[in-house]
Amino acid sequence: MNLPSRIDVAVIGAGAAGVAAARALVARGFGVLVLEARSRAGGRAFTHDAGARAQGGHWPLDMGCGWLHSADRNPLVGEARALGLDVDETTPPWRSQRQGESFAPGEQESFRAAQADFYERLEAAARLPEDHAASQYLAEAERWNPLIDAVSTYVNGTELERLSVKDFDAYEDTGINFRVREGYGELIARLAQDAPIAFDTKAHIIDHSGLTLKVTTSAGIVEARAVLVAAPTNIIATGALRFSPDLPDKVAACAHLPLGIADKVFLEVEDAHDLPENARLFGRIDRVDTGAYHYRPFGRPLIEGYFGGACASALEAGGLAAFADFAIEELVAALGSQWARRLKPLAASGWARDPFALGSYSHALPGYFDQRAILAAPHENRIFFAGEATHPFFYSTAHGAWMSGLRAADEIGASLTAP
């Protein structure tokens, strides 16, 4: 599309935050344009269609966010239902551990007790004046420490040594988790259908030196009365999106709220009836570098594998083949050699190598728990910020990003007079 020379609000990024803000601002009568580097909306919410398979139907695979966390407080649950999408309320797989002899019920109980004790120590530590790395509160010589750390890589995208205790404690989770059968990415894409989006348009520089803001993009310059930045923190921290003059407090906040790495692999399963539906298996219980495997999501003949932190980072270099080989080796070790021929690679993510994301979702580094508020604050009531990293307690989630977009739209509406 041809870019307009001047608009009221330029929104950078058509992820959940940018889409929410654009819809709200258009409803208020503002002239809005969303600048999106990709050829699609959704950002780190992306549903890949695996196509028609021999075992029946199309399988929407959520390569990024997949869970409607805190579903009882998540506004996207209502949005999904309003669009006629199927919100699945099945109990999450982490409530149903299926490990066999390698992780017997008694050992599972021992692990859960050790994990609960660790979280209690973190909660107490969060009340102390100083902030520390979460790894400092692992019990000495606890046999379950590697698995506790592995879970952190799935949940936070990073190991405990890089995780702020105070920021982790601030996260809110009601424990109610739903999924969208058609895909979380599909939900955001449908919500974006009526938004004014310029796809394949990468924003490079936000010039705020004059009375009018100027955004230099790959398709030309756009002038605006206000700019909403809804780009991932790593994009700003690395200078892929710059401010002129520089905004060092915002760049520093992004550097202190880096995106961790959480990736997935999907495997097709032959004769999947042998596996229980909607159950989880850890690849290993004695090391940090391991996957967590979700059997038959939605009853489909699939295994959805989760990887995080350094393990995911190492596997990304090899793409689908590396993720699949790693996963199949762990699954065969747990299930038996006959499973090697029954598992077929379908798709894998690689968010740290995605040039428009450079990671999965944010965590605060130890000592920098206050950076979310710094990043979220408007600059001179002309440059505004949204995205999951700016939400104080629903960070790392799509609904946190969505809610931050609505918050930023309110801030813009209070600062600008609608035409």
Side-chain angles (χ1 to χ4, degrees), residues 184-230:
Y184 211 145
E186 176 66 15
L187 166 61
I188 303 301
R190 292 195 192 186
L191 289 169
Q193 285 180 345
D194 295 329
I197 304 175
F199 292 108
D200 301 307
T201 304
K202 183 179 179 181
H204 297 291
I205 303 171
I206 301 170
D207 183 346
H208 57 106
S209 60
L211 295 178
T212 299
L213 301 172
K214 297 180 180 180
V215 183
T216 300
T217 79
S218 57
I221 295 177
V222 176
E223 295 187 356
R225 299 166 63 199
V227 172
L228 171 59
V229 179

Side-chain angles (χ1 to χ4, degrees), residues 83-97:
L83 289 170
L85 298 177
D86 184 359
V87 176
D88 185 271
E89 300 185 16
T90 303
T91 302
W94 53 88
R95 306 292 187 196
S96 179
Q97 188 74 35

Side-chain angles (χ1 to χ4, degrees), residues 5-56:
S5 59
R6 187 177 178 88
I7 53 175
D8 291 320
V9 185
V11 177
I12 299 176
V19 170
R23 287 162 49 103
L25 290 166
V26 168
R28 297 184 187 203
F30 290 102
V32 178
L33 181 64
V34 183
L35 305 170
E36 172 52 51
R38 293 185 174 89
S39 58
R40 62 168 180 83
R44 289 164 280 167
F46 172 52
T47 303
H48 168 65
D49 187 346
R53 310 301 301 180
Q55 299 185 58

Side-chain angles (χ1 to χ4, degrees), residues 134-159:
S135 58
Q136 293 188 24
Y137 298 93
L138 291 167
E140 186 175 356
E142 170 59 62
R143 65 172 294 206
W144 297 115
N145 284 349
L147 190 54
I148 291 171
D149 208 1
V151 171
S152 174
T153 69
Y154 315 139
V155 173
N156 304 299
T158 191
E159 288 75 11

Side-chain angles (χ1 to χ4, degrees), residues 108-267:
Q108 293 182 36
E109 183 177 348
S110 174
F111 164 67
R112 286 193 292 269
Q115 188 179 44
D117 287 344
F118 170 64
Y119 289 148
E120 286 181 6
R121 287 191 294 275
L122 288 188
E123 184 175 0
R127 305 296 175 260
L128 299 175
E130 295 184 356
D131 188 24
H132 296 286
S135 58
Q136 293 188 24
Y137 298 93
L138 291 167
E140 186 175 356
E142 170 59 62
R143 65 172 294 206
W144 297 115
N145 284 349
L147 190 54
I148 291 171
D149 208 1
V151 171
S152 174
T153 69
Y154 315 139
V155 173
N156 304 299
T158 191
E159 288 75 11
L160 294 167
E161 66 181 2
R162 289 177 53 82
L163 186 67
S164 158
V165 167
K166 288 182 178 290
D167 186 65
F168 179 76
D169 184 70
Y171 180 77
E172 294 187 9
D173 182 2
T174 67
I176 300 176
N177 300 277
F178 299 160
R179 297 193 90 170
V180 181
R181 184 172 290 272
E182 296 85 352
Y184 211 145
E186 176 66 15
L187 166 61
I188 303 301
R190 292 195 192 186
L191 289 169
Q193 285 180 345
D194 295 329
I197 304 175
F199 292 108
D200 301 307
T201 304
K202 183 179 179 181
H204 297 291
I205 303 171
I206 301 170
D207 183 346
H208 57 106
S209 60
L211 295 178
T212 299
L213 301 172
K214 297 180 180 180
V215 183
T216 300
T217 79
S218 57
I221 295 177
V222 176
E223 295 187 356
R225 299 166 63 199
V227 172
L228 171 59
V229 179
T233 56
N234 284 7
I235 296 296
I236 298 171
T238 60
L241 174 63
R242 297 188 292 111
F243 303 94
S244 179
D246 191 19
L247 296 180
D249 59 330
K250 301 299 185 183
V251 176
C254 288
H256 295 140
L257 298 169
L259 301 189
I261 306 176
D263 284 319
K264 298 180 183 179
V265 67
F266 289 89
L267 305 174

Side-chain angles (χ1 to χ4, degrees), residues 104 128 159 173 196 237 244 276 278 281 300 324 332 338 351 354 356 371 393:
L128 299 175
E159 288 75 11
D173 182 2
S244 179
N278 206 46
L281 174 140
R300 296 167 183 153
V332 167
Q338 72 275 17
W351 290 107
D354 182 324
F356 306 128
Q371 298 297 289
F393 51 84

